[in-house]
Amino acid sequence: MDNSPDRAPVVDLKAGRLRGAVEEGVTVFRAVPYATPPVGPLRWRPAQPHPGWSGVRDATADGPSVPQMYAEGGDPVLGGHGSPPFDEDCLTLNIWTPAVDAGRRPVLFWIHGGGFVSGSGSMPIYSGEEFARDGDIVVVSINYRTGPLGYLYLGDELDAAGKGRGAEEGEDRPCATGAGNFWLTDQLAALRWVHDNITHFGGDPDTITVAGQSGGAVSTAALAGHPEARGMLKRVILQSPPLGLDIPAPAAYLERTAAYLQFAGAADVDELRELPWPRLIEAAGALFGHTMRWGYWPTPFLPVRDGVTLHEHPGRTLLDDAAADIDVMIGWTREEANFGFALDAGYAEATRDQVVARIAEVFDTDAEAVYAAYARTRPGARPVDVLMDLITDELFRVPCLELAEARAASGRPVWAYQFDLPAPVHDGRLAAAHCLELPFVFHNFDKWSHVPLVRGIAPAVRDGLADTMHQAWIAFVRTGNPNHAGVPEWERYGAESRATMRFDSVVTSVNDLAGHSRTLHEGRRRP
């Protein structure tokens, strides 16, 4: 095959032929379908294999993203997360590879986050170009159903309304009672597609690292121990997974499903399926307000422990025997919750009594003492600062530590990190907020120029830290160990040392870096 830069690369798959492009020396295939479009009767159905295509399919332009809420002008932190065009026909993936050959390179399979409601694998900030070029690895990013299309749980009502109907009216197909988590069926289908096809793109199906951030890290954890994913992934990277979320069982979830149906103006799933997707997204906005609680991260849509596609909390899967030999890297940012609360004028006026009451909702121990313990770690702390530290701990840092502790206790491999470099923007109020590690990991600040979060970071500090983190991620994808010449010795997290890499202007390994949070939350009420 002639794969010279002046010739468009073409690959032959069972599904059909694909024509990609060479961009800055990296071969790229965009909007590659991995599942049948989930439209019409396939809305709120598990992902189905794509039937293929005839001729040569052009794969040089990004496809549409999953429908989601969108506001012109973005937001003051990320500047937006997902942009038009949107369409339900969105189950595609992008591939970056150093060359279309028989190289059998390690594969990085990236799952974007977005609070289960936004994002796209084709966003420039998630470009795999630098990873492919710098690490000689193949990178895949995926689109999957988010918001109501991916996370709405309809339970037995869906099966009663649609049992026996497939892609064509009258087609008989099995329907698992009470199944949900269509997002997970998408990701499993994409992972299966990559495992079956990546050799055609110079990748090694036996060396796949699944990585994700935020909601994408929850997805990564869910895949790690899933029986259908067994043997298809070797390593996982969990960046800021909100493992402290309460993942509801069906009965609890159906309460918000009923509210969503009301907001959408639909009596049942048949009526809901007839609505255009913009109406579904509008109703999702109403569900935000309905499910919001003071002092908690808003999550109108969540995974569901349906007992069919997901049997337990995703954080538990990495402790199961199925995930025993999977290499794990896990980490968080120092001030995760500042992302959602530091710029909110309403929370700036929070009182001590309000925050103490919020602490009392989740702690069995004296809430005033817990407040004081948090306040001592921040001289001059306002009530909102204590609240943000509390949310960071209970949603991100402490559950990550607990997972690392459990894996270390059983002798299973895990590396831990904390990202500490603060963002100067907005007078420093965001600090080391949720998402801030992403441009350092991808080492692609040129693609983040529109994002307020990264503005003002000193270039010398920025570039040095980005190189260190980027190369650590590459080393982990390639070998299962994040150590490289440019990073201090990074030991596995152990029950005694609790070694944690601290990423800041100076990178250091610290024993029990988050010990204060770990011990303080021993008094937290467990679900």
Side-chain angles (χ1 to χ4, degrees), residues 114-458:
F116 312 121
V117 296
S118 71
S120 167
S122 60
M123 293 177 65
I125 61 174
Y126 300 132
S127 168
E129 178 185 316
E130 285 76 9
F131 270 118
R133 180 186 299 112
D134 300 339
D136 193 34
I137 59 180
V138 178
V139 183
V140 179
S141 67
I142 67 170
N143 287 349
Y144 59 95
R145 284 174 283 183
T146 65
L149 293 166
Y151 287 85
L152 185 66
Y153 179 65
L154 295 158
D156 293 339
E157 181 182 3
L158 173 63
D159 303 306
K163 193 171 185 178
R165 291 184 301 183
E168 300 293 338
E169 190 67 29
E171 177 189 345
D172 190 27
R173 59 187 294 273
C175 194
T177 301
N181 297 311
F182 308 108
W183 58 275
L184 183 56
T185 72
D186 294 347
Q187 293 167 7
L188 282 165
L191 182 60
R192 189 177 302 111
W193 189 98
V194 169
H195 185 267
D196 293 345
N197 292 279
I198 205 65
T199 54
H200 296 282
F201 302 89
D204 181 1
D206 296 325
T207 313
I208 296 176
T209 298
V210 178
Q213 186 263 350
S214 193
V218 173
S219 297
T220 299
L223 287 173
H226 199 285
E228 292 185 36
R230 185 170 297 181
M232 289 197 293
L233 59 88
K234 191 168 186 175
R235 304 177 180 115
V236 295
I237 302 174
L238 289 81
Q239 299 176 210
S240 300
L243 298 178
L245 286 171
D246 179 24
I247 305 301
Y253 204 118
L254 286 172
E255 295 178 6
R256 69 178 63 199
T257 300
Y260 180 81
L261 285 167
Q262 183 177 358
F263 293 135
D268 53 34
V269 66
D270 278 341
E271 289 188 14
L272 202 61
R273 186 172 273 118
E274 295 301 317
L275 295 178
W277 66 254
R279 183 72 189 93
L280 301 178
I281 302 305
E282 183 181 349
L287 191 64
F288 254 103
H290 177 77
T291 57
M292 193 171 293
R293 297 171 61 195
W294 190 92
Y296 291 85
W297 199 292
T299 51
F301 298 99
L302 288 164
V304 58
R305 290 181 287 113
D306 60 3
V308 180
T309 59
L310 189 64
H311 294 271
E312 60 184 343
H313 193 294
R316 293 286 310 169
T317 63
L318 285 163
L319 303 178
D320 295 340
D321 289 341
D325 297 327
I326 293 176
D327 299 317
V328 177
M329 185 198 298
I330 188 168
W332 56 90
T333 71
R334 188 177 59 198
E335 287 96 6
E336 297 271 9
N338 289 34
F339 176 96
F341 298 89
L343 305 184
D344 189 312
Y347 281 104
E349 302 301 321
T351 66
R352 181 187 178 106
D353 288 345
Q354 282 180 298
V355 177
V356 169
R358 167 67 172 81
I359 293 171
E361 292 176 12
V362 293
F363 272 80
D364 286 323
T365 52
D366 179 43
E368 284 283 0
V370 173
Y371 184 100
Y374 270 115
R376 283 194 296 272
T377 66
R378 278 207 206 194
R382 302 166 298 158
V384 68
D385 297 322
V386 172
L387 177 65
M388 290 188 294
D389 287 347
L390 170 72
I391 295 170
T392 292
D393 276 350
E394 68 181 10
L395 200 57
F396 299 97
R397 180 160 39 222
V398 172
C400 287
L401 286 168
E402 290 171 344
L403 190 151
E405 293 268 320
R407 281 188 65 92
S410 61
R412 296 170 177 176
V414 58
W415 280 264
Y417 72 87
Q418 177 172 295
F419 183 89
D420 281 20
L421 187 74
V425 72
H426 298 301
D427 299 320
R429 284 179 288 163
L430 291 173
H434 191 63
C435 295
L436 186 53
E437 92 287 1
L438 283 167
F440 293 87
V441 168
F442 280 84
H443 208 339
N444 60 351
F445 277 89
D446 59 316
K447 297 178 177 67
W448 287 74
S449 59
H450 66 290
V451 178
L453 181 61
V454 304
R455 292 175 188 163
I457 300 174

